Amino acid sequence: MAGGAGHPPRYKAGMAEPTPQTEAETPREAFDEGHLSRGFVSDVATRLERGDDEAVRAMVAPLRPADIAELFALVPENDRGPLAVAIGEALDADVMAELADYVREDVLAAMSVGAVAEMVMQLDTDDAVAIIEDLEDDEAREVLDALAPEDRADIVAALNYPEESAGRLMQRELVAVPEAVTVGDVIEQVRVTIDPATDFWEIFVIDTERRPVGTMRLSWLLTTPPEVAVADVMQREQTLIPVDMDQEEVALLFQKYALISAAVVDGGGRLVGVITVDDVVHIIQEEAGEDALKLSGAGDGDINEPILETYKTRSRWLIANLGTAMVSSSVITMFEPTIEKLVVLAALTPIVASVGGNAGTQTMAVAVRALATNQLTESNTQRTIWREIRVAMLNGGTIAALVGIGTAVIFGNPVLGLVIAAAVLFNIMVAGLAGVMVPVALERWGADPAVASSVFVTMMTDTLGFLSFLGLATMVGVANLS
Amino acid sequence: MAGGAGHPPRYKAGMAEPTPQTEAETPREAFDEGHLSRGFVSDVATRLERGDDEAVRAMVAPLRPADIAELFALVPENDRGPLAVAIGEALDADVMAELADYVREDVLAAMSVGAVAEMVMQLDTDDAVAIIEDLEDDEAREVLDALAPEDRADIVAALNYPEESAGRLMQRELVAVPEAVTVGDVIEQVRVTIDPATDFWEIFVIDTERRPVGTMRLSWLLTTPPEVAVADVMQREQTLIPVDMDQEEVALLFQKYALISAAVVDGGGRLVGVITVDDVVHIIQEEAGEDALKLSGAGDGDINEPILETYKTRSRWLIANLGTAMVSSSVITMFEPTIEKLVVLAALTPIVASVGGNAGTQTMAVAVRALATNQLTESNTQRTIWREIRVAMLNGGTIAALVGIGTAVIFGNPVLGLVIAAAVLFNIMVAGLAGVMVPVALERWGADPAVASSVFVTMMTDTLGFLSFLGLATMVGVANLS
């Protein structure tokens, strides 16, 4: 593959590209605070509908690949195919690599197999694989058949690794040198043998078995005297990534050790590829952002996802929660005789459950986040649970006092105030404990704490909230409350 | 500053460092799935308490800076000071740059002003500033006074930029060359003038006014013939970062354009610094992960935050939610006569509110995420609202049917089933609309949608859930329901 989907250097003399700020004959300002403006996007849509492809091409010409990708996401779904056709070659491999998943599907659907194959050949392995993965099986086969044999081999090899593994993420284009050479040798070798379109940030030093023994940043190559041996200047401390490592783990390593690139090794410890930080940044962002979506049962949470898929994910979650809501509500029916005699309990019960639910969600969000970032490990689980108990005592005390006094004053009933205060304190303590212990337990059992925690925690805070309040009220006796 | 907090190249001949896999005399395996093992951490704590500093030093010796930083986070709060003292010089600038905020405070408290100043001088501007920011005012002044004048000037200049701005994030050490030179000139100039300890990934090409006109990746320098002019091979397309840009915006630009480094410019467009991706990765991760915490009112959500601060943040949120819960519960009291006659309504009412609340949280999580990643802009707001309405109709229909049939069967009461089904459908539609419109409106008004959305949305789904169900039940009449 030509490598360097990023920005291949072009040094044909005189081939100065226009700067992106060029005043194209775009009817409205293209940008508004870093993203494409509403006026620009709707102007593109208007011209597409009019069939004025030339005007669309002119509007798109000054945009950068990431901006064109954004444009595809912002125009209505039905315009994505026509836009792809209209802009022709401006829809290049760089743009394709930047497209969001669901948007890319719409665009690919509008392209011929030949056009897709041509684009794939210009991409780094990792980006090419991402596109092939998105195609239907028969389309993928057609595209693979249309590729040059070496490209096909690389992609098929990558597809043999599990989804979301380092093997899918890595690119095979890299620079590796033996330990014995000097810095001058390396510079010479790079100049002679490496395609100028290949982007690389570090070079890898390998032994005779192709096992990585060190890395060198390019800036070190440039600032070290040429006669110095690579072995004397390279960094021996390496972060080696097993080819089957999950991409989330890869992202955590990049973050922890502030890596720009890292060697990927096979089971025998041999260098097979390289992952660079720009391939990992979107994973870091996705994985970190996913928690809020998972905690709420919103699945991918992509606003470009087809509606029926969104419906499937979200309704499954709502049904699960409906089930738990019915279970906890059945607790209320147990206390019907009490409520019949003191109807105000019906209005107060949801407050106890709601406060507990909120406290549980807070603790849960913190615990899930700490687990995801490896900050909550076996070493500090006990300490963290104890910490949450203390926070719950403080919060519980405060909220219980407020609710208790409020109820006592509003209903002129101090005993009722005491009952609800006790129930709220108890429920916030439950919430604090469940909020940290449920995610930790799920993680230990190998489940994703972000996905399943909130169903359990909410059920506990609802059920125990209803039970403690109505149970206590029943024990104290309606006669004493009213 | 010496630059390169990362890994300065060391080419004193023969100074091969031990590989990190070295078998130190650590009593238990240091690592367990990429993070420090529980046994190792507790062994460190035991030796600290025994005062066996030498053993602690030996255990820490084979660890990398990021691992030492992790160790500080994992040992109990009280052990952080003693650990800092015990390991002495192993606590270097690299470790300090990696420490989490609250942990760093504990460590700094155990260090002398002189030691802090010495460490600060070895850091890049951005990392140095991060440490000075953390100190109390008088300590910060003492440390600044102890610095070399140039270092002090750089740090004071950075501190003059607003918090969380590009100016605080950038480092001033960079390589800039004029447009007229050749690639060979640049390589020569770098070798002669740049301190080998400075890490850089791209060089910047500037005009006579020091305004950036292009960038060159180091790999291009190495693969381009020396006689080619820089102007012919550099990339003119640049992402320039204004020095006062918010760090969240900076992170979005790095992500969107897959940048490794970017030039920072002042108001006059002159190059004043550089931001590299490793400084931005933790911001991307933090900002993306923040939403889940903000949506639940958990503030920073740092498990190392002092308990009283956690209490302050979380209780404020719980009090706000208590207020809204009381408002919506007051709706229930309006219907006391109806409930008195048909107590089962008291058990069913929370179900209607709960289902609506869950549906609202889903939509809200999606909308907040899409806003944070610039995927939901003015161009597609209308389309996204319409999308959520359709999803809400599907979800509402499904859940309403389930609840309605369930209620009709369990209570042998089809009219009651119809009433609750209608209320649930209505409430899920409200949730879908509010879930997207509230965050969008807050964003337009300049508020953070992640922080304030859920209070509003929950209040709407609770209040309207109670109102629609009990109102409808009252209209239909208890006589027809029981």
Side-chain angles (χ1 to χ4, degrees):
Chain A
M1 248 149 281
H7 300 279
R10 307 140 236 216
Y11 58 87
K12 293 174 200 121
M15 198 197 112
E17 303 167 63
T19 54
Q21 296 84 345
T22 310
E23 289 294 319
E25 49 289 13
T26 51
R28 301 192 222 177
E29 274 300 334
F31 288 95
D32 174 24
E33 293 184 9
H35 53 255
L36 292 172
S37 74
R38 183 185 189 170
F40 181 84
V41 174
S42 77
D43 285 348
V44 169
T46 314
R47 278 159 187 71
L48 275 177
E49 274 144 42
R50 252 198 252 135
D52 190 354
D53 286 4
E54 203 166 324
V56 173
R57 248 192 319 276
M59 288 174 75
V60 168
L63 298 182
R64 294 164 64 170
D67 297 317
I68 300 180
E70 190 177 289
L71 179 63
F72 272 103
L74 290 178
V75 297
E77 235 170 279
N78 299 334
D79 285 344
R80 284 175 194 152
L83 179 58
V85 174
I87 67 171
E89 289 184 0
L91 172 55
D92 60 9
D94 291 350
V95 175
M96 194 54 92
E98 299 283 340
L99 286 175
D101 287 352
Y102 292 108
V103 178
R104 185 188 282 158
E105 283 178 23
D106 293 337
V107 174
L108 285 174
M111 291 173 61
S112 70
V113 167
V116 174
E118 200 169 315
M119 193 160 283
V120 162
M121 283 192 274
Q122 286 164 39
L123 290 169
D124 283 339
T125 343
D126 56 326
D127 292 323
V129 166
I131 287 175
I132 305 269
E133 281 174 337
D134 266 5
L135 298 172
E136 301 294 324
D137 282 357
D138 50 334
E139 286 176 313
R141 211 161 307 123
E142 280 183 69
V143 170
L144 283 175
D145 288 343
L147 293 180
E150 324 87 73
D151 289 349
R152 184 166 51 233
D154 277 358
I155 291 176
V156 169
L159 286 169
N160 280 335
Y161 295 114
E163 270 183 60
E164 311 214 322
S165 70
R168 294 266 180 127
L169 209 58
M170 73 187 185
Q171 64 186 61
R172 285 159 176 274
E173 300 81 10
L174 56 81
V175 181
V177 299
E179 212 173 342
V181 299
T182 65
V183 167
D185 295 338
V186 174
I187 293 179
E188 189 53 30
Q189 187 191 328
V190 166
R191 193 181 314 288
V192 174
T193 62
I194 304 298
D195 177 345
T198 306
D199 275 323
F200 55 100
W201 307 99
E202 289 178 303
I203 61 169
F204 299 98
V205 186
I206 49 176
D207 66 13
T208 51
E209 312 276 300
R210 214 180 155 73
R211 284 184 301 240
V213 292
T215 57
M216 265 194 89
R217 299 188 172 190
L218 295 189
S219 61
W220 302 349
L221 271 188
L222 289 170
T223 52
T224 305
E227 66 280 6
V228 173
V230 162
D232 290 336
V233 56
M234 74 182 182
Q235 174 183 323
R236 287 169 192 276
E237 205 171 60
Q238 303 183 78
T239 308
L240 300 180
I241 299 192
V243 72
D244 55 357
M245 182 179 256
D246 185 82
Q247 63 175 24
E248 192 171 354
E249 290 296 312
V250 174
L252 283 173
L253 283 181
F254 265 79
Q255 242 174 284
K256 180 170 179 184
Y257 296 116
L259 305 175
I260 298 290
S261 65
V264 181
V265 292
D266 65 13
R270 283 177 300 271
L271 181 67
V272 291
V274 57
I275 296 179
T276 48
V277 66
D278 51 314
D279 300 323
V280 173
V281 161
H282 73 277
I283 296 172
I284 294 175
Q285 195 261 4
E286 272 170 28
E287 302 278 353
E290 248 171 20
D291 287 351
L293 298 166
K294 284 189 195 158
L295 278 168
S296 68
D300 275 355
D302 191 316
I303 56 169
N304 288 305
E305 190 181 42
I307 286 190
L308 281 180
E309 282 184 40
T310 305
Y311 163 62
K312 255 199 282 182
T313 324
R314 294 207 208 161
S315 65
R316 200 179 307 139
W317 180 262
L318 292 175
I319 292 169
N321 276 283
L322 174 63
T324 64
M326 291 179 93
V327 169
S328 41
S329 287
S330 70
V331 170
I332 300 182
T333 60
M334 290 162 43
F335 294 99
E336 278 186 13
T338 311
I339 297 173
E340 212 153 25
K341 286 177 219 133
L342 190 66
V343 176
V344 67
L345 294 179
L348 293 175
T349 309
I351 296 179
V352 180
S354 160
V355 164
N358 283 318
T361 306
Q362 287 182 332
T363 313
M364 206 165 50
V366 173
V368 165
R369 186 94 200 94
L371 285 168
T373 51
N374 272 343
Q375 287 181 63
L376 178 52
T377 72
E378 285 199 5
S379 310
N380 57 354
T381 298
Q382 258 183 305
R383 182 151 37 101
T384 306
I385 292 174
W386 175 229
R387 178 177 187 278
E388 288 301 326
I389 293 177
R390 284 180 295 165
V391 173
M393 285 194 293
L394 289 170
N395 279 333
T398 308
I399 305 296
L402 285 173
V403 174
I405 294 169
T407 305
V409 170
I410 293 172
F411 299 99
N413 189 333
V415 183
L416 187 60
L418 273 177
V419 167
I420 196 170
V424 162
L425 176 60
F426 171 76
N427 206 19
I428 289 182
M429 297 290 297
V430 167
L433 268 175
V436 57
M437 290 176 76
V438 168
V440 166
L442 287 169
E443 166 107 345
R444 293 274 155 88
W445 297 332
D448 183 341
V451 171
S453 293
S454 84
V455 173
F456 289 109
V457 174
T458 309
M459 188 164 73
M460 288 177 76
T461 52
D462 274 1
T463 310
L464 293 175
F466 295 154
L467 198 62
S468 61
F469 178 55
L470 295 174
L472 211 53
T474 308
M475 275 162 54
V476 170
V478 175
N480 296 316
L481 288 175
S482 43
Chain B
M1 245 150 285
H7 299 280
R10 307 143 238 213
Y11 59 87
K12 292 174 201 121
M15 197 199 113
E17 301 167 65
T19 55
Q21 296 86 346
T22 309
E23 291 293 321
E25 49 287 14
T26 51
R28 300 194 222 178
E29 273 300 333
F31 289 95
D32 173 24
E33 294 185 7
H35 53 253
L36 292 172
S37 75
R38 182 184 188 167
F40 181 84
V41 174
S42 78
D43 284 349
V44 168
T46 315
R47 277 158 188 70
L48 274 177
E49 273 145 44
R50 252 197 250 132
D52 190 353
D53 286 3
E54 202 166 326
V56 172
R57 248 193 318 276
M59 288 174 76
V60 168
L63 299 183
R64 294 164 64 173
D67 297 316
I68 300 179
E70 191 177 288
L71 179 63
F72 272 103
L74 290 177
V75 297
E77 235 169 279
N78 299 335
D79 285 345
R80 286 176 193 152
L83 179 59
V85 174
I87 68 172
E89 289 184 2
L91 171 56
D92 59 10
D94 291 350
V95 175
M96 194 53 95
E98 298 284 339
L99 286 176
D101 287 351
Y102 292 108
V103 178
R104 185 188 284 158
E105 283 177 24
D106 292 338
V107 174
L108 285 174
M111 291 172 62
S112 71
V113 167
V116 174
E118 200 170 315
M119 193 160 284
V120 162
M121 282 194 274
Q122 285 163 40
L123 289 169
D124 282 339
T125 341
D126 55 326
D127 292 323
V129 167
I131 287 176
I132 304 269
E133 280 174 338
D134 266 6
L135 298 172
E136 303 292 325
D137 281 357
D138 50 333
E139 285 175 315
R141 211 161 308 123
E142 280 183 71
V143 170
L144 282 174
D145 287 344
L147 294 181
E150 325 86 74
D151 290 348
R152 184 167 51 232
D154 277 357
I155 291 176
V156 169
L159 285 170
N160 280 334
Y161 295 113
E163 270 186 56
E164 311 216 322
S165 71
R168 294 265 181 128
L169 210 56
M170 73 186 186
Q171 63 187 63
R172 286 160 176 272
E173 301 81 11
L174 56 82
V175 181
V177 300
E179 213 173 340
V181 300
T182 66
V183 166
D185 295 338
V186 174
I187 292 179
E188 189 53 32
Q189 185 190 328
V190 166
R191 192 179 316 289
V192 173
T193 62
I194 304 299
D195 177 345
T198 306
D199 276 322
F200 56 100
W201 307 98
E202 291 180 301
I203 61 168
F204 299 98
V205 185
I206 49 176
D207 67 11
T208 50
E209 311 277 300
R210 215 179 154 75
R211 284 183 301 239
V213 292
T215 57
M216 264 194 88
R217 300 188 169 187
L218 295 188
S219 62
W220 302 349
L221 270 188
L222 289 170
T223 53
T224 304
E227 67 280 6
V228 174
V230 162
D232 291 336
V233 57
M234 73 182 183
Q235 174 184 324
R236 287 170 191 275
E237 204 171 58
Q238 301 184 78
T239 308
L240 300 181
I241 299 192
V243 74
D244 56 356
M245 182 180 255
D246 184 81
Q247 63 175 23
E248 192 172 353
E249 290 295 312
V250 174
L252 282 173
L253 282 181
F254 265 79
Q255 241 176 284
K256 181 171 179 185
Y257 298 116
L259 305 175
I260 298 291
S261 66
V264 181
V265 291
D266 65 12
R270 283 176 299 269
L271 181 67
V272 291
V274 57
I275 296 180
T276 48
V277 66
D278 51 313
D279 300 322
V280 172
V281 161
H282 74 276
I283 295 171
I284 294 175
Q285 196 259 4
E286 272 170 28
E287 301 278 353
E290 249 173 20
D291 286 352
L293 298 166
K294 284 189 196 158
L295 277 169
S296 67
D300 275 356
D302 191 316
I303 56 171
N304 288 305
E305 189 182 42
I307 286 191
L308 281 181
E309 282 184 40
T310 304
Y311 162 64
K312 255 199 281 180
T313 323
R314 293 206 207 162
S315 65
R316 200 180 308 139
W317 180 262
L318 292 175
I319 292 169
N321 276 281
L322 175 63
T324 65
M326 291 179 94
V327 169
S328 41
S329 287
S330 70
V331 170
I332 301 183
T333 59
M334 288 162 43
F335 294 98
E336 277 186 14
T338 311
I339 297 174
E340 211 154 26
K341 286 177 218 135
L342 188 67
V343 177
V344 67
L345 294 180
L348 293 175
T349 309
I351 296 180
V352 179
S354 158
V355 165
N358 284 316
T361 306
Q362 287 183 332
T363 312
M364 206 164 51
V366 172
V368 165
R369 186 95 200 93
L371 285 168
T373 52
N374 271 344
Q375 287 179 62
L376 178 51
T377 71
E378 284 199 5
S379 310
N380 57 355
T381 298
Q382 258 183 304
R383 180 150 40 98
T384 305
I385 293 175
W386 174 228
R387 178 177 186 277
E388 288 302 325
I389 292 177
R390 284 180 294 167
V391 173
M393 286 194 292
L394 288 169
N395 278 334
T398 307
I399 305 296
L402 285 172
V403 173
I405 294 169
T407 305
V409 170
I410 294 171
F411 297 100
N413 189 333
V415 183
L416 187 59
L418 274 176
V419 167
I420 196 171
V424 162
L425 176 60
F426 171 75
N427 206 19
I428 290 183
M429 298 288 298
V430 167
L433 268 175
V436 57
M437 290 175 76
V438 168
V440 167
L442 287 169
E443 167 106 344
R444 292 275 154 88
W445 298 331
D448 184 341
V451 171
S453 294
S454 84
V455 174
F456 290 110
V457 173
T458 310
M459 187 165 74
M460 287 178 78
T461 54
D462 275 1
T463 310
L464 293 175
F466 295 155
L467 197 63
S468 61
F469 179 55
L470 295 174
L472 212 52
T474 308
M475 274 162 55
V476 171
V478 174
N480 297 315
L481 287 175
S482 44

